[in-house]
């Protein structure tokens, strides 16, 4: 079975721009979670989607949003980028929300 | 709310020596526990998990962890480390029953460096 894939792997943006990151879960997995990883804050939960519905959201501003499609693929969007948004964004999938999560390689976002 | 504390941010050790990475958690309800490993410029890989049953869980590459409910700990151990074990290790919890809706809570990570 193919693992979780994320595209693109690297992104460089400037302040004020917006960005869209994509995640394809493991086939058959319906839950997709997103995390932000930074040296200062560590791994922080952004949101979780299941059957195209956002069921949980972390403590991030409204500039961070996401969606899930009928094939379980998910995207997250960050608008009006700030320097502090520079991070590794990780996507994880699981069959059900409480199961073990399998992570993708991440998207490294650099905001200049 | 649940929280996870990894007591050591960095652990240096010599090759073939034993190692223990410590993890304590706090939660008012029952949780599942995980250890993940992250190699440079990669995502997280699941190392082992405790869901229920035997409190001692093992991975295929020689790591083991023991769930201690009374001490709310889930320490990771390996009797003899290799250079290739150099990585960052994360302890994580999720509420049982799916009530976390996909939210893993992570510790701050422990960087294990194995020296020759």
């Amino acid at each position: 079975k193919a693992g979780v894939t994320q595209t693109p792997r690297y992104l460089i943006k400037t302040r004020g721009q917006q960005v869209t990151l994509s995640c394809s879960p493991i086939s058959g997995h319906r839950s997709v979670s997103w995390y932000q990883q930074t040296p200062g804050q560590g791994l922080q939960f952004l949101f979780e989607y299941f059957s195209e519905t956002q069921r949980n959201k972390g403590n991030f501003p409204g500039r961070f949003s996401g969606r899930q499609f009928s094939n379980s693929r998910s995207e997250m969007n960050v608008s009006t980028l700030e320097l502090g948004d520079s991070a590794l964004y990780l996507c994880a999938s699981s069959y059900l929300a409480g199961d073990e999560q399998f992570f993708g390689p991440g998207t490294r976002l650099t905001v200049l | 709310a649940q929280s996870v504390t990894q007591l050591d941010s960095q652990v240096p050790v010599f090759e073939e020596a034993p190692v223990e990475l410590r993890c304590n958690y706090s939660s008012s309800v029952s949780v599942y526990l995980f250890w993940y490993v992250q190699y440079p410029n990669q995502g997280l890989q699941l190392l082992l998990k405790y869901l229920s049953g035997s409190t001692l869980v093992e991975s295929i590459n020689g790591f083991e962890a023991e769930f201690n409910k009374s001490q709310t700990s889930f320490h990771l151990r390996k009797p003899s480390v290799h250079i290739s074990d150099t990585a960052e290790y994360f302890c994580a919890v999720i509420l049982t029953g799916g009530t976390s809706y996909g939210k893993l809570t992570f510790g701050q990570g422990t960087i294990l460096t194995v020296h020759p």
Side-chain angles (χ1 to χ4, degrees):
Chain A
K1 231 182 219 184
V4 178
T5 59
Q6 292 187 246
T7 56
R9 291 292 312 276
Y10 301 91
L11 267 177
I12 300 176
K13 293 285 186 178
T14 56
R15 280 179 296 174
Q17 287 186 309
Q18 74 166 19
V19 67
T20 299
L21 313 181
S22 180
C23 170
S24 293
I26 291 171
S27 177
H29 285 190
R30 299 163 65 188
S31 174
V32 174
S33 298
W34 288 88
Y35 298 86
Q36 181 196 66
Q37 185 178 24
T38 60
Q41 299 299 315
L43 282 152
Q44 294 187 289
F45 173 78
L46 280 157
F47 28 65
E48 186 259 1
Y49 286 87
F50 186 90
S51 293
E52 302 179 65
T53 300
Q54 185 186 92
R55 300 192 303 178
N56 200 358
K57 190 178 191 312
N59 189 25
F60 279 83
R63 299 184 298 106
F64 291 82
S65 63
R67 59 177 175 169
Q68 187 181 35
F69 302 94
S70 58
N71 62 358
S72 294
R73 190 177 70 85
S74 177
E75 289 181 347
M76 68 163 282
N77 184 276
V78 188
S79 62
T80 319
L81 284 166
E82 301 177 359
L83 295 179
D85 297 332
S86 294
L88 181 66
Y89 289 89
L90 293 163
C91 163
S93 76
S94 61
Y95 181 67
L96 295 174
D99 291 348
E100 61 200 50
Q101 295 182 13
F102 296 88
F103 284 78
T107 295
R108 172 77 63 185
L109 172 64
T110 302
V111 182
L112 302 176
Chain B
Q2 60 274 26
S3 66
V4 178
T5 302
Q6 291 182 241
L7 297 160
D8 305 292
S9 58
Q10 296 192 52
V11 173
V13 64
F14 287 106
E15 193 173 19
E16 297 184 7
V19 71
E20 178 180 78
L21 307 184
R22 296 178 293 168
C23 171
N24 286 93
Y25 71 94
S26 172
S27 178
S28 57
V29 296
S30 60
V31 296
Y32 296 143
L33 298 117
F34 306 90
W35 275 100
Y36 284 89
V37 59
Q38 186 176 35
Y39 299 99
N41 299 314
Q42 294 187 25
L44 303 176
Q45 297 176 26
L46 180 65
L47 192 58
L48 43 75
K49 61 187 179 185
Y50 173 77
L51 304 181
S52 64
S54 172
T55 57
L56 183 65
V57 290
E58 299 177 353
S59 71
I60 57 173
N61 56 356
F63 282 95
E64 64 179 31
E66 186 160 19
F67 170 55
N68 188 318
K69 189 174 182 180
S70 62
Q71 297 184 8
T72 60
S73 67
F74 191 54
H75 301 331
L76 181 69
R77 301 184 183 94
K78 190 171 185 180
S80 176
V81 294
H82 303 288
I83 296 286
S84 60
D85 293 325
T86 294
E88 189 162 15
Y89 293 78
F90 292 93
C91 181
V93 301
I94 195 167
L95 299 182
T96 62
T99 53
S100 278
Y101 294 119
K103 179 183 176 182
L104 274 168
T105 299
F106 288 90
Q108 285 297 102
T110 298
I111 297 174
L112 173 64
T113 304
V114 181
H115 298 284

